[in-house]
């Protein structure tokens, strides 16, 4: 009887130790699985962050490409950079021609066309500094250059004198080509201040 009771007690103790052992094993497996889950979650979060960074980089590169395209669509030199000296040259040429030949027609042409060119080019500079389009003023300077070519070529064909009519006709032709270049290139490049603010905003 006593031996049977000992066997039963030992079997119960064995079952208890097995149960506690299995519980310990399960708890160990659970605790060992927790770091794996954390590692997997971190890897997924890192992968999503990398994707977001790649998307942001791609978006930034696309914006830079667009900004580069916008910069390419403008002329490399402003119209007033050569327009102001050209207007001053025509104006001074009319005054010098009047002093040498006492011709009021030379003076009136020089003052009229030179003054108009100076006005349009300086106003184009003022508008450009405000970040606005100088297209009307470029067109006006191109039109005046065309009229100067026509008038001075007619005078040269009659008098056959290279200076001043032929010389002014050549310079006016060069300036007309310059204005056409600025127009076909997309106008004046934007001011540096506007470029920096646009890049900071983007």
């Amino acid at each position: 009887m006593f031996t049977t009771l000992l066997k039963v007690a030992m079997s119960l103790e064995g079952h208890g130790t097995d149960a506690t052992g299995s519980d310990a094993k399960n708890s160990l497996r659970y605790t060992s699985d927790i770091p794996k889950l954390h590692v997997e979650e971190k890897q997924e979060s890192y992968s999503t962050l990398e994707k977001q960074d790649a998307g942001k980089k791609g978006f930034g590169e696309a914006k830079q490409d667009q900004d580069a395209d916008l910069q390419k669509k403008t002329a490399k030199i402003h119209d007033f950079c050569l327009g102001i000296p050209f207007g001053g040259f025509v104006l001074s040429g009319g005054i010098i021609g009047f002093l040498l030949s006492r011709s009021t027609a030379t003076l009136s042409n020089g003052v009229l066309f030179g003054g108009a060119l100076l006005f349009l080019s300086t106003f184009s500079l003022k508008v450009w500094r405000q970040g606005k389009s100088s297209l009307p003023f470029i067109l006006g300077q191109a039109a005046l250059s065309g009229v100067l070519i026509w008038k001075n070529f007619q005078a040269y064909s009659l008098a056959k004198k290279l200076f001043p009519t032929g010389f002014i006709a050549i310079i006016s032709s060069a300036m007309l080509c310059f204005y056409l270049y600025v127009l076909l290139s997309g106008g004046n490049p934007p001011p540096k201040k506007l470029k920096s603010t646009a890049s900071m905003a983007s």
Side-chain angles (χ1 to χ4, degrees), residues 91-102 106-107 163:
L91 179 61
S92 60
I95 295 171
I96 292 170
F98 172 72
L99 293 175
L100 293 175
S101 64
R102 300 294 176 180
T106 304
L107 178 64
F163 189 83

Side-chain angles (χ1 to χ4, degrees), residues 40-105:
E40 289 176 356
E41 287 177 356
K42 285 181 180 179
Q43 287 178 351
E44 288 178 357
S45 63
Y46 285 139
S47 63
T48 53
L49 286 172
E50 286 176 357
K51 287 179 181 177
Q52 288 177 357
D53 291 336
K56 286 179 181 178
K57 286 179 182 177
F59 185 68
E61 288 175 358
K63 275 192 172 182
Q64 288 177 358
D65 292 338
Q66 288 177 356
D67 293 338
D69 290 337
L70 287 174
Q71 289 177 1
K72 287 178 183 177
K73 290 180 182 178
T74 57
K76 292 183 178 181
I77 188 169
H78 308 86
D79 68 291
F80 48 81
C81 291
L82 297 180
I84 293 174
F86 178 52
F89 171 75
V90 174
L91 179 61
S92 60
I95 295 171
I96 292 170
F98 172 72
L99 293 175
L100 293 175
S101 64
R102 300 294 176 180
S103 172
T104 54

Side-chain angles (χ1 to χ4, degrees), residues 61-186:
E61 288 175 358
K63 275 192 172 182
Q64 288 177 358
D65 292 338
Q66 288 177 356
D67 293 338
D69 290 337
L70 287 174
Q71 289 177 1
K72 287 178 183 177
K73 290 180 182 178
T74 57
K76 292 183 178 181
I77 188 169
H78 308 86
D79 68 291
F80 48 81
C81 291
L82 297 180
I84 293 174
F86 178 52
F89 171 75
V90 174
L91 179 61
S92 60
I95 295 171
I96 292 170
F98 172 72
L99 293 175
L100 293 175
S101 64
R102 300 294 176 180
S103 172
T104 54
T106 304
L107 178 64
S108 61
N109 285 331
V111 171
L112 177 66
F113 288 101
L117 286 167
L118 278 174
F119 172 76
L120 289 173
S121 55
T122 52
F123 217 85
S124 176
L125 172 61
K126 184 179 178 181
V127 169
W128 172 80
R129 284 178 177 169
Q130 296 173 356
K132 298 177 182 178
S133 175
S134 302
L135 181 63
F137 307 103
I138 301 171
L139 288 171
Q141 293 174 79
L144 286 174
S145 299
V147 175
L148 278 172
I149 294 167
W150 178 68
K151 287 180 72 67
N152 285 282
F153 183 75
Q154 277 189 336
Y156 172 76
S157 62
L158 292 172
K160 300 294 182 182
K161 290 182 179 180
L162 184 61
F163 189 83
T165 54
F167 188 64
I168 293 175
I170 293 169
I171 292 178
S172 300
S173 302
M175 288 302 298
L176 180 60
C177 293
F178 168 69
Y179 291 130
L180 290 176
Y181 156 72
V182 175
L183 289 170
L184 294 174
S185 299

